[in-house]
Amino acid sequence: MQEVRNQINDGIKLQRQLELIEAIDRLGLASLFHEEIYQVLSVLSLNNYKEVILCGLRSTAICFQLLRRFGFQISEGIFDDFMDGDHNTFLPTLSDDLIGLLSLYNASYMAFPGEKKMESARSFALKNMTRKNMQEILPGSIESAIGHALDLPLHRRMPWMEARMYIDMYELEDGMSPALLHLAKIHFNKVQSIHQKELKHAGSWWTRLDLGKTISFSRDRLMECFFYVVGIVHHPDYGFCREKLTQVGMLIATIDDVYDVYGSLEELELFTQIIDRWDIKGVVELPYYMKICFSALNDTINGVANHLYADDRFNILQWADLFKSFLVEAKWHKKGYIPTLKEYLSNASISAAGHVILFLAYILLKCKITKETLQLLQDFPNIIRLPSLIFRLCNDLATSSNIQVEQERGDVATSVQCYMKETGASEEEARLYISMLISDAWNDMNEEYSTCSKPQFPQRFIDASINLARMASFMYQHGDGFSAPSHQIKGSIKSLLLNSISNNLNERDMQ
């Protein structure tokens, strides 16, 4: 670690310093060099960026991305020197700068609403990186890096999965730091071993609960659920958070299936009423399979409350809202009703369960709990609303490609079908419109995280919030990666949770 620390601080050229910090961040090591990174970025944020701009497009784009990534204020105007006199388009002379274009493309996804220069940056980079004649002369490592970004831009990637993938990519890069690469491998293996123990513990809990025997129609996706939770909170210090979020995720998936697949409308209405009152005595009125669900849910919430010495009612309101939204969708489905898009989104942002996950994450990450903060979280602020919306819309794009299967399973029409019915649009047009809504939500979220109060929302919670949206982008990119994981998702799970990285150095080399 000291060798890498020295590399950051030993007066290296600014361009190299920025590239090193970007690599450290992508390799999942930013928390190990927090002070050094913030010191460099703080100095950069206080000057007029002339030195950065002189280093070229790549350094300028990396600087822009890092400053926004770590919460510093920076304007899109930093790119003015690379644009024409009207600042409408980028200079044609940059069209062959592949490395610069790649960094510009990734930086463009840090855009705020209304930033036209960032829109121009994205279209310019995309157009020139995908030119046919350009593709024919790409070196292998650059071609791979461009393909990686085009598949999913850096800002929307799950950070810990990116760390695993980037270790292999970084090893092939020119100017790679052997000390940094070895540190990344050792760190990854150490964290992975912690996750593996947690996964084993989660498996024991799920086996003891034995819900699959009683509710055989539900999805049994423990591995995918734990993978999703690791994507939201991967830091080794937050094991209890991952344990409880995994339990909650499995219970949500199971109870969602009860509403979608199995329960009668009368049973679902009774279950929802009992949850709304948190009426433990009233559970006797429920059918056996619903009693099991309520009991497991109650035990999980009490377990969190007892561990944190908190009031066990802290999360009840969130659960009541969730199951009310499940009930609305169950009624829509049973009546064959397709709502307007506005009506659908109002309910779907809740039924996506992002607010429950993030509310619970706030508690489990041991953020400061006050009456004011809890009320703010319950009021569905943008820091919860926006990732929940992205979560739902990404899921819709993935599942709407197989409408018949989803409807046979009991799912309500997605945002795609709602928009098609309301506007008469084709499926292709509807999917493009939903993709635009996702892009707009990301821009809003970028601005929200830049301006939200850090004392009120600690960085660890902000990171978990945006990681929820990132996981949705990853899991639903090529289909429903949770309910019907593809070969690609299964491979990602293996590489992240099961397969360690070969490394010749020992753990003592991290000291």
Side-chain angles (χ1 to χ4, degrees):
M1 278 182 63
Q2 189 57 47
E3 183 175 348
V4 175
R5 187 171 285 114
N6 291 340
Q7 289 177 9
I8 300 173
N9 296 324
D10 280 356
I12 57 176
K13 291 182 179 180
L14 179 58
Q15 178 179 347
R16 175 57 182 156
Q17 194 175 44
L18 287 168
E19 292 172 353
L20 182 63
I21 292 175
E22 182 192 39
I24 288 170
D25 188 35
R26 291 184 67 177
L27 291 167
L29 300 173
S31 62
L32 301 183
F33 303 98
H34 182 273
E35 292 184 9
E36 290 80 6
I37 290 174
Y38 269 84
Q39 182 177 356
V40 172
L41 296 182
S42 294
V43 172
L44 276 175
S45 69
L46 294 175
N47 65 31
N48 59 10
Y49 307 115
K50 285 185 178 179
E51 186 181 358
V52 175
I53 293 168
L54 287 173
C55 291
L57 180 61
R58 172 169 166 76
S59 294
T60 304
I62 292 175
C63 176
F64 178 86
Q65 179 181 321
L66 288 174
L67 286 172
R68 286 207 170 172
R69 156 80 174 86
F70 287 96
F72 293 88
Q73 298 298 314
I74 183 171
S75 166
E76 61 175 342
I78 192 175
F79 293 105
D80 285 353
D81 284 10
F82 302 96
M83 306 183 76
D84 63 19
D86 295 328
H87 299 154
N88 291 324
T89 59
F90 280 74
L91 298 172
T93 53
L94 299 170
S95 60
D96 292 333
D97 181 6
L98 285 175
I99 300 298
L101 291 172
L102 176 59
S103 296
L104 181 66
Y105 179 77
N106 276 321
S108 73
Y109 283 88
M110 307 295 293
F112 294 165
E115 289 192 326
K116 300 299 182 183
K117 293 173 186 176
M118 301 316 298
E119 292 178 12
S120 178
R122 187 180 307 176
S123 60
F124 178 80
L126 182 62
K127 174 185 175 181
N128 287 288
M129 287 194 302
T130 55
R131 294 201 325 257
K132 183 177 180 181
N133 62 332
M134 186 67 74
Q135 293 295 312
E136 294 172 353
I137 60 172
L138 285 178
S141 60
I142 298 178
E143 182 179 14
S144 175
I146 289 176
H148 186 71
L150 295 179
D151 184 54
L152 195 63
L154 180 60
H155 181 51
R156 298 187 185 180
R157 285 187 172 274
M158 166 189 171
W160 192 234
M161 188 72 244
E162 171 65 12
R164 176 59 190 91
M165 297 174 74
Y166 188 58
I167 285 173
D168 294 339
M169 297 170 64
Y170 184 66
E171 194 161 11
L172 301 176
E173 285 189 7
D174 293 335
M176 174 270 293
S177 164
L180 180 59
L181 177 65
H182 287 309
L183 177 62
K185 290 181 178 181
I186 293 170
H187 179 70
F188 179 87
N189 285 341
K190 285 185 68 175
V191 175
Q192 185 190 64
S193 68
I194 293 172
H195 292 164
Q196 287 172 343
K197 293 175 183 177
E198 293 168 354
L199 178 60
K200 184 177 180 181
H201 185 70
S204 298
W205 165 81
W206 185 241
T207 300
R208 291 194 307 272
L209 195 60
D210 201 20
L211 273 182
K213 183 177 180 180
T214 305
I215 310 177
S216 57
F217 54 82
S218 68
R219 291 165 288 179
D220 191 349
R221 289 285 179 261
L222 179 65
M223 183 73 84
E224 289 80 7
C225 187
F226 184 75
F227 177 71
Y228 210 113
V229 169
V230 167
I232 297 172
V233 181
H234 77 267
H235 195 282
D237 290 347
Y238 300 130
F240 183 71
C241 179
R242 281 187 293 276
E243 175 189 338
K244 292 305 174 186
L245 287 183
T246 300
Q247 293 177 5
V248 164
M250 290 301 294
L251 293 174
I252 288 174
T254 300
I255 298 174
D256 183 34
D257 289 340
V258 168
Y259 278 83
D260 286 348
V261 178
Y262 196 77
S264 69
L265 200 54
E266 182 179 357
E267 290 173 341
L268 296 176
E269 287 177 334
L270 178 60
F271 184 72
T272 306
Q273 291 168 9
I274 288 173
I275 290 290
D276 191 30
R277 301 191 304 264
W278 211 261
D279 184 4
I280 296 177
K281 293 181 180 179
V283 172
V284 296
E285 303 175 43
L286 294 172
Y288 178 70
Y289 75 97
M290 284 185 169
K291 291 179 182 177
I292 297 297
C293 290
F294 184 91
S295 176
L297 190 59
N298 189 57
D299 289 347
T300 300
I301 289 179
N302 286 337
V304 174
N306 292 337
H307 182 85
L308 299 176
Y309 306 103
D311 186 337
D312 64 359
R313 293 171 297 176
F314 68 81
N315 207 26
I316 290 174
L317 180 61
Q318 307 299 314
W319 287 105
D321 288 344
L322 176 63
F323 295 146
K324 287 176 183 177
S325 70
F326 283 176
L327 181 60
V328 168
E329 292 183 348
K331 289 179 177 179
W332 285 348
H333 176 71
K334 292 181 187 299
K335 294 177 181 178
Y337 174 67
I338 299 179
T340 65
L341 181 61
K342 182 178 180 180
E343 187 180 10
Y344 170 84
L345 291 178
S346 177
N347 190 73
S349 293
I350 303 296
S351 67
H355 70 296
V356 171
I357 296 297
L358 291 177
F359 190 98
L360 190 58
Y362 184 90
I363 305 295
L364 292 168
L365 290 171
K366 297 186 178 181
C367 303
K368 185 177 181 180
I369 302 173
T370 65
K371 289 183 179 179
E372 292 75 18
T373 302
L374 291 182
Q375 184 59 54
L376 179 59
L377 291 172
Q378 290 173 355
D379 289 342
F380 210 43
N382 283 338
I383 198 170
I384 290 179
R385 182 185 67 83
L386 290 168
S388 298
L389 176 63
I390 292 170
F391 181 22
R392 169 52 66 198
L393 294 179
C394 287
N395 179 281
D396 283 355
L397 285 180
T399 57
S400 63
S401 61
N402 202 340
I403 298 172
Q404 184 177 353
V405 171
E406 289 294 309
Q407 291 182 342
E408 287 176 355
R409 183 178 168 274
D411 284 337
V412 71
T414 69
S415 57
V416 175
Q417 286 87 57
C418 292
Y419 185 78
M420 290 171 64
K421 181 178 184 296
E422 184 177 350
T423 66
S426 67
E427 181 177 345
E428 181 181 2
E429 291 169 335
R431 293 178 70 83
L432 285 173
Y433 182 77
I434 299 305
S435 295
M436 182 190 72
L437 293 183
I438 293 173
S439 183
D440 288 346
W442 269 104
N443 289 350
D444 289 339
M445 193 162 58
N446 291 341
E447 187 172 44
E448 177 69 21
Y449 293 141
S450 175
T451 58
C452 67
S453 171
K454 296 297 174 66
Q456 196 169 45
F457 294 120
Q459 188 62 47
R460 58 188 179 277
F461 176 69
I462 294 173
D463 290 341
S465 178
I466 196 169
N467 283 344
L468 175 66
R470 287 169 170 153
M471 277 306 297
S473 298
F474 181 81
M475 289 292 282
Y476 300 115
Q477 183 184 9
H478 302 298
D480 188 347
F482 183 81
S483 298
S486 64
H487 177 75
Q488 181 181 3
I489 291 293
K490 291 179 179 178
S492 296
I493 292 173
K494 288 180 181 178
S495 66
L496 198 71
L497 300 177
L498 303 180
N499 300 333
S500 62
I501 302 175
S502 175
N503 191 21
N504 295 326
L505 293 189
N506 300 314
E507 290 189 17
R508 60 180 173 78
D509 294 291
M510 288 186 64
Q511 305 303 317

